[in-house]
Amino acid sequence: MPTDLTIRTYDSPPHLGRHQVLDPRSLAYRRPYDGQPLRATNWEPRIPVLNQQQLVAQGIYTSRDYGLDEDVDALSSCTGNAGTALLSILLSKERAAAAGLNTDDAAAAEHFAIGLYADATSRDEWSDATWPTQDVGSSGLGITKVLRDRGLVDQYGHATSAEELCALLQTGPVLMGAPWYAAFSSPGVAGFIDADADWAESPLEGGHEVCVTALEDVAMVDGVLDPTRTVLRIRNSWGSSWGDHGDGRLYLSTYLALREQIDIVQPRRDGDTP
């Protein structure tokens, strides 16, 4: 295992499963903010809302399909689900189908996400545990490497500041891995996961990966980004009954409060616009 990685692991209950892994070789390709205008953007996934839980109800039998001794009803596969949502934005329907992603069928897309997750656990250099033997979660960096290994993306870059995150969202969706507090699991009005002002006092449930699909509101004060009024929208993987029809929202100030434990990576197709 490389010795220069920054690794923060979490317990991995089945509805979560992300660990923070930062590689200085990869972070060297972050895209610094150059002062460009920041505007509201919207990148809509071309697949139904996925659900890494209630697998059996979706017709996904892990004993039959993946060789497990018994069926499990949820997996720690949020990284694979977030990567699948992002990929559905980057790829046309035809390219997605050629890659094995059926954009019309939620269960088929969930199978694709599980496959990404399995590959990522093998690609993660920091862990010897792999799925389906062990369901321990993965990392956003691992998923991104799998997408590149499969030839589905050409490059990827990181963001380490609020401005860099907003700048990446000008060109496409991003993957966000974050610590997940209990308050986030019960979003407020319009799906705001940080609606409870005391969210940081709720128990830390683990780490979670989501796809950031929109910079919905951009607030500036005297030419400076105002994080307390700038809004991100995320696509979760807990079914359409969660949040706002499967989506959540958070203020950029929440990202800043958790920035040291968050990783942002944007897989991209060179020359392609979603």
Side-chain angles (χ1 to χ4, degrees):
M1 181 185 77
T3 58
D4 55 352
L5 297 178
T6 297
I7 301 169
R8 179 182 279 111
T9 61
Y10 301 85
D11 290 336
S12 295
H15 65 298
L16 299 176
R18 166 267 184 184
H19 307 286
Q20 184 188 40
V21 179
L22 303 176
D23 184 344
R25 298 167 300 177
S26 182
L27 286 172
Y29 292 94
R30 60 181 267 269
R31 297 186 172 95
Y33 177 57
D34 61 5
Q36 70 186 94
L38 300 175
R39 300 182 175 88
T41 60
N42 177 36
W43 310 101
E44 189 67 26
R46 297 187 176 103
I47 54 174
V49 177
L50 300 183
N51 193 350
Q52 68 192 84
Q53 306 175 73
Q54 301 171 327
L55 297 178
V56 172
Q58 300 174 66
I60 299 174
Y61 298 94
T62 52
S63 61
R64 178 194 67 193
D65 300 331
Y66 301 102
L68 298 185
D69 291 336
E70 58 185 21
D71 291 320
V72 297
D73 207 29
L75 288 172
S76 304
S77 58
C78 58
T79 53
N81 282 270
T84 300
L86 179 139
L87 195 64
S88 78
I89 299 170
L90 297 187
L91 300 182
S92 66
K93 183 174 183 177
E94 292 73 24
R95 280 182 170 172
L101 173 58
N102 183 338
T103 57
D104 296 323
D105 187 302
E110 184 61 40
H111 274 294
F112 182 90
I114 293 171
L116 282 186
Y117 168 56
D119 286 354
T121 61
S122 297
R123 193 68 168 83
D124 283 326
E125 301 171 281
W126 53 275
S127 173
D128 293 329
T130 59
W131 192 84
T133 306
Q134 295 169 284
D135 183 26
V136 298
S138 182
S139 67
L141 184 60
I143 285 293
T144 300
K145 289 180 177 180
V146 169
L147 294 180
R148 188 165 186 175
D149 290 346
R150 292 189 182 187
L152 301 177
V153 302
D154 304 302
Q155 56 173 306
Y156 54 91
H158 296 268
T160 58
S161 72
E163 290 80 8
E164 289 173 359
L165 168 56
C166 292
L168 287 183
L169 287 167
Q170 303 301 297
T171 59
V174 305
L175 298 178
M176 181 173 76
W180 197 260
Y181 287 81
F184 294 169
S185 295
S186 300
V189 176
F192 275 91
I193 64 173
D194 48 5
D196 182 351
D198 296 323
W199 59 260
E201 304 303 318
S202 66
L204 177 63
E205 294 189 329
H208 194 36
E209 192 87 17
V210 295
C211 181
V212 185
T213 58
L215 181 60
E216 283 199 331
D217 293 303
V218 181
M220 309 291 289
V221 177
D222 297 328
V224 178
L225 193 62
D226 179 1
T228 65
R229 296 187 296 122
T230 297
V231 177
L232 304 172
R233 188 172 78 237
I234 60 174
R235 170 60 58 90
N236 203 354
S237 52
W238 294 348
S240 58
S241 63
W242 182 86
D244 183 7
H245 304 286
D247 287 345
R249 292 177 174 84
L250 68 152
Y251 290 102
L252 194 61
S253 54
T254 299
Y255 159 79
L256 286 172
L258 297 171
R259 188 177 63 84
E260 293 303 318
Q261 298 182 63
I262 284 178
D263 59 88
I264 298 289
V265 60
Q266 184 186 56
R268 300 179 62 166
R269 289 182 58 84
D270 198 11
D272 281 5
T273 301

